[in-house]
Amino acid sequence: MTNTVRFTKMHGAGNDYIYVDTFRYPIANPEEKAIEWSKFHTGIGSDGLILIGYSNKADFNMRIFNADGSEAMM
């Protein structure tokens, strides 16, 4: 069974990223999803995946995964 995940795709400065609100749509394997969804011909097509989620220090946190599945440093 396929679960629906609503996302927003944004671009700027020559990069495209997929944004997902993990408050509503938890992502179990973000590394795998970044690779799968970032493919331009078979996925959504992007430079990576950005997850917006819970933080105990601020309103939310943000995790960035590159198209190869590696997590970017901020």
Side-chain angles (χ1 to χ4, degrees), residues 3-73:
N3 292 331
T4 300
V5 175
R6 294 183 59 95
F7 66 91
T8 300
K9 184 176 174 183
M10 292 192 243
H11 64 91
N15 294 309
D16 296 331
Y17 279 91
I18 301 163
Y19 288 76
V20 175
D21 176 356
T22 62
F23 291 108
R24 294 183 180 175
Y25 306 101
I27 305 296
N29 297 309
E31 300 87 354
E32 292 175 14
K33 292 299 181 192
I35 294 168
E36 178 184 348
W37 293 346
S38 294
K39 294 179 181 178
F40 281 94
H41 296 291
T42 58
I44 299 164
S46 72
D47 294 307
L49 172 64
I50 297 179
L51 304 179
I52 306 300
Y54 175 78
S55 171
N56 54 6
K57 294 181 183 179
D59 293 336
F60 60 89
N61 80 357
M62 182 172 72
R63 293 178 70 194
I64 302 172
F65 293 88
N66 297 311
D68 66 0
S70 63
E71 189 165 2
M73 300 296 288

